[in-house]
Amino acid sequence: MPSKSSARLAALTVAAVCSAASTIVLTTPAHADAVRIHDIQGTTRTSPYAGRQVTDVTGIVTGIRTYGSSRGFWIQDPNPDADPATSEGVFVFTGSTPKGVAVGDSVTVSGTVSEYVPGGTTSGNQSLTEITKPTFTVLSSGNQLPAATAITATSVPAAYAPAGDTTANGSINALPLKPAKYALDRYESLEGMTVRVTDTRVVGATDPYTELWVTVKPHENRTRNGGTVYGSYDAQNTGRLQIQSLGPTADFPKANVGDTLAGTTAGPLDYNQFGGYTLVASELGTLESAGLKRETTTAQRSSELAVATYNVENLDPTDDTFAAHASAIVNNLKSPDIVSLEEIQDNNGAKNDGTVAADQTLEELIDAIVAASGPKYDWRAIDPADGADGGEPGGNIRQAFLFNPERVSFTDRAGGDATTATGVTKIRGKAHLTLSPGRIAPADEAWKNSRKPLAGEFAFRGRTVFVIANHFNSKGGDQGLTSQYQPPARSSETQRHQQATLVNAFVKDILDTQKNADVIALGDINDFEFSRTTRLLEGRGELWSAIKSLPRGERYSYVYQGNSQVLDQILISPSIRRDCDFEYDSVHVNAEFHDQISDHDPQVLRFRP
């Protein structure tokens, strides 16, 4: 006999509180169907009972969520059917903190079956099957919980997802689940059930939202530091899984990539807007540190020019990260001669009052670099028109050049502003910029609500070097990898393709004017080294992404949803690449760490002009 609390010997019928303002008690309709959880979940991603009322659905309470906008509890049928495609768990959405129910309770639940799409239907996300507007009855307490289903390297297929139904705009929602064939189908067949992973390696550091990513496939495209490289649209890393906590967030481990969650991590398998399938842990493994250290690059020789790109993530004078950024530039990047900075905000950051100047932001960073025993950098930038370049409202982010005047000089040609385009001219047989610093085609629609490229002309040991600082538009609006649409649409690419085409055309103008010109296009390209964006930027050999000179396991500058991937790039012209007399380094100081000061790793190129 299951144990019973004396306070709950009688069956209790509890009405869920659907909002803070009202309590609604729903009576069981006479026509409602008595069904099991696996009947509700069905053999596809959407329930055959969606929109219908069900009554007296039995299950054991396996977890209660008391935070966020999606409050409620999970129930699981302790008597599963024989079909591996049908889940035995489901989420009961109460809207407010559930009362009168505890983990281990045996309950019957009545309510309406709903398909909730995290992020809304326009997000493209899969839906989560729920029972909404519930009433429930506690039959007994203290019951043994259903055994957690192990998610292992062998239980998750290598194939990621089926191709979507072309008659349904590429949706996989109505396709029969094949959990032995596709990874997404395997996870979907466990939706709402208690699952467990054991001794899993962290592939995405703990973030500010108390989440981290692990892999159940420890050898899947492994990086040197223990991450998982994203190197193709066609071959997904199927072992990745997001971990959240069902308990106090203060107890959540502060993990870096390469660390291990030793022992068992277990809880209901959820699906959310920002990570897809997520293990909401009621039991967390013990963090074992791998001792990850921030990397340091090699200092340039006297005959080498060192050029870096670094996204400093919305830096403005109110931030407390200046000293840390300065230390990274001086100690980890070894004080490059030229640093292209992305996401420099104006002098009062997100305050939206028309301020566009960023001299205070840049000077504060330069002073911090000097305090860290670095060089006294000079800087060049062009203030954007207010609100015209995207990013955080009021922040007016832009690219900027830092350069060490003891090592390199900047060639100033006046006239560059937010709306005036720089061009290429020939002087005594050599290419020169008409405006330096200047912006590339700032009026073109390709740059609408996006950062305009900043072009500058530098001189090093008597040779001109053209540097183009970029920050292409973000991937915002793209469908996620766990989307119901397979393959997911990447709508943001359209603008990046236009941007890449314009930058390549500008580089081509330089090279048509001077075939052997040294040109570097760098920055936060917001796209992968294998993407069409990069191919368009490279053109017909005008540029080449130098991160491809690294071993595949080193090609990353950013970690997103447990995928170590390339967003930041330095592309070089044939004159730099031809002699192979260059060194490239993706300096991993941020992306893999829970205490990162930016979400991007800086990149450094050293070469002899």
Side-chain angles (χ1 to χ4, degrees):
M1 291 282 294
S3 62
K4 298 180 181 180
S5 167
S6 59
R8 292 156 62 162
L9 286 174
L12 302 175
T13 300
V14 182
V17 180
C18 296
S19 70
S22 63
T23 300
I24 302 175
V25 179
L26 298 175
T27 58
T28 302
H31 63 276
D33 297 317
V35 297
R36 303 283 289 276
I37 293 174
H38 51 250
D39 297 321
I40 293 172
Q41 288 285 8
T43 57
T44 67
R45 283 175 164 76
T46 54
S47 172
Y49 287 83
R52 296 170 58 183
Q53 289 184 309
V54 291
T55 186
D56 295 337
V57 180
T58 60
I60 304 294
V61 177
T62 57
I64 300 175
R65 182 154 54 200
T66 60
Y67 60 89
S69 60
S70 184
R71 302 186 188 193
F73 57 93
W74 287 270
I75 60 173
Q76 184 168 331
D77 194 327
N79 300 304
D81 67 4
D83 189 345
T86 57
S87 171
E88 300 294 340
V90 71
F91 185 67
V92 180
F93 174 72
T94 58
S96 60
T97 300
K99 299 182 184 302
V101 65
V103 171
D105 285 352
S106 174
V107 297
T108 60
V109 177
S110 301
T112 303
V113 176
S114 175
E115 291 292 337
Y116 167 66
V117 182
T121 56
T122 59
S123 70
N125 285 326
Q126 295 184 52
S127 60
L128 181 69
T129 302
E130 299 178 335
I131 299 177
T132 62
K133 302 177 182 177
T135 60
F136 54 87
T137 300
V138 177
L139 304 177
S140 62
S141 301
N143 295 279
Q144 182 176 353
L145 300 182
T149 301
I151 300 178
T152 66
T154 55
S155 71
V156 178
Y160 187 65
D165 183 354
T166 56
T167 65
N169 296 318
S171 174
I172 60 176
N173 274 351
L175 300 180
L177 293 176
K178 298 180 179 179
K181 187 173 183 179
Y182 300 111
L184 286 191
D185 287 14
R186 173 60 174 165
Y187 292 127
E188 176 63 22
S189 73
L190 300 173
E191 177 191 277
M193 294 177 61
T194 298
V195 299
R196 62 180 170 86
V197 295
T198 305
D199 295 334
T200 48
R201 192 179 71 242
V202 175
V203 293
T206 304
D207 65 21
Y209 307 100
T210 322
E211 302 163 338
L212 59 80
W213 287 76
V214 299
T215 181
V216 298
K217 295 187 174 184
H219 302 295
E220 190 174 48
N221 298 317
R222 179 170 178 159
T223 72
R224 185 178 67 184
N225 289 342
T228 303
V229 169
Y230 183 63
S232 169
Y233 293 126
D234 300 322
Q236 301 297 331
N237 294 310
T238 60
R240 296 170 302 108
L241 189 64
Q242 185 172 236
I243 307 292
Q244 293 178 337
S245 178
L246 195 52
T249 57
D251 298 332
F252 198 77
K254 293 180 172 60
N256 297 328
V257 168
D259 292 348
T260 298
L261 278 185
T264 298
T265 297
L269 188 64
D270 195 25
Y271 182 95
N272 66 42
Q273 176 181 356
F274 300 106
Y277 295 103
T278 300
L279 193 165
V280 186
S282 55
E283 178 183 2
L284 273 166
T286 302
L287 182 67
E288 292 184 353
S289 173
L292 184 66
K293 303 296 184 184
R294 286 177 163 83
E295 294 182 0
T296 298
T297 195
T298 302
Q300 66 271 29
R301 300 178 181 90
S302 61
S303 60
E304 291 179 321
L305 180 67
V307 182
T309 177
Y310 188 16
N311 184 320
V312 290
E313 195 174 4
N314 290 325
L315 188 66
D316 73 68
T318 67
D319 291 340
D320 60 1
T321 58
F322 282 91
H325 283 305
S327 178
I329 290 170
V330 174
N331 299 310
N332 300 93
L333 304 187
K334 297 299 182 183
S335 302
D337 303 307
I338 301 170
V339 183
S340 168
L341 298 169
E342 297 87 49
E343 296 200 17
I344 291 291
Q345 289 200 343
D346 63 34
N347 289 334
N348 59 17
K351 185 177 181 181
N352 198 355
D353 63 354
T355 299
V356 294
D359 55 308
Q360 295 173 25
T361 308
L362 288 162
E363 292 293 348
E364 187 167 346
L365 179 58
I366 290 169
D367 289 345
I369 291 171
V370 172
S373 301
K376 177 71 172 179
Y377 282 104
D378 202 348
W379 63 272
R380 296 291 187 275
I382 292 178
D383 294 333
D386 186 34
D389 281 22
E392 186 178 23
N396 290 308
I397 57 174
R398 83 290 310 275
Q399 298 86 268
F401 293 125
L402 298 186
F403 63 95
N404 181 357
E406 298 296 320
R407 294 264 301 161
V408 65
S409 61
F410 190 88
T411 303
D412 287 291
R413 293 195 180 88
D417 59 27
T419 58
T420 304
T422 189
V424 181
T425 188
K426 182 182 287 188
I427 301 174
R428 293 187 291 277
K430 302 290 186 180
H432 295 277
L433 300 182
T434 58
L435 307 173
S436 177
R439 288 180 143 196
I440 297 175
D444 195 284
E445 280 293 302
W447 309 112
K448 185 176 181 180
N449 295 321
S450 184
R451 284 70 56 181
K452 286 70 174 171
L454 179 70
E457 188 176 321
F458 294 85
F460 177 74
R461 296 170 65 92
R463 186 170 177 90
T464 297
V465 179
F466 299 95
V467 183
I468 302 169
N470 301 277
H471 187 182
F472 286 3
N473 78 297
S474 76
K475 292 181 176 292
D478 287 1
Q479 293 171 355
L481 293 179
T482 58
S483 168
Q484 66 160 295
Y485 301 103
Q486 293 293 329
R490 302 184 297 270
S491 58
S492 69
E493 284 184 340
T494 300
Q495 188 174 8
R496 283 196 301 281
H497 292 169
Q498 296 168 348
Q499 294 173 345
T501 299
L502 281 176
V503 173
N504 173 267
F506 188 82
V507 173
K508 190 174 186 300
D509 283 347
I510 295 174
L511 298 179
D512 285 346
T513 304
Q514 182 185 337
K515 184 178 180 180
N516 67 341
D518 292 335
V519 185
I520 297 171
L522 77 175
D524 181 358
I525 305 302
N526 261 320
D527 224 332
F528 315 120
E529 81 280 13
F530 55 82
S531 67
R532 185 162 181 249
T533 299
T534 298
R535 294 198 302 273
L536 289 169
L537 193 49
E538 291 176 322
R540 297 184 176 182
E542 289 85 16
L543 292 169
W544 181 70
S545 181
I547 200 169
K548 292 189 287 190
S549 66
L550 298 178
R552 289 187 181 274
E554 285 293 302
R555 296 180 194 175
Y556 61 95
S557 68
Y558 192 83
V559 179
Y560 181 67
Q561 295 185 349
N563 275 325
S564 297
Q565 57 196 251
V566 169
L567 292 186
D568 307 85
Q569 302 187 49
I570 301 178
L571 297 96
I572 56 178
S573 63
S575 62
I576 300 173
R577 183 186 180 191
R578 187 178 297 120
D579 297 331
C580 294
D581 195 15
F582 69 87
E583 293 178 328
Y584 190 95
D585 198 356
S586 183
V587 188
H588 304 306
V589 296
N590 284 321
E592 297 171 303
F593 295 86
H594 74 272
D595 55 349
Q596 58 188 226
I597 54 172
S598 168
D599 46 359
H600 293 253
D601 285 332
Q603 314 291 292
V604 178
L605 175 80
R606 295 180 293 273
F607 72 104
R608 292 183 175 88

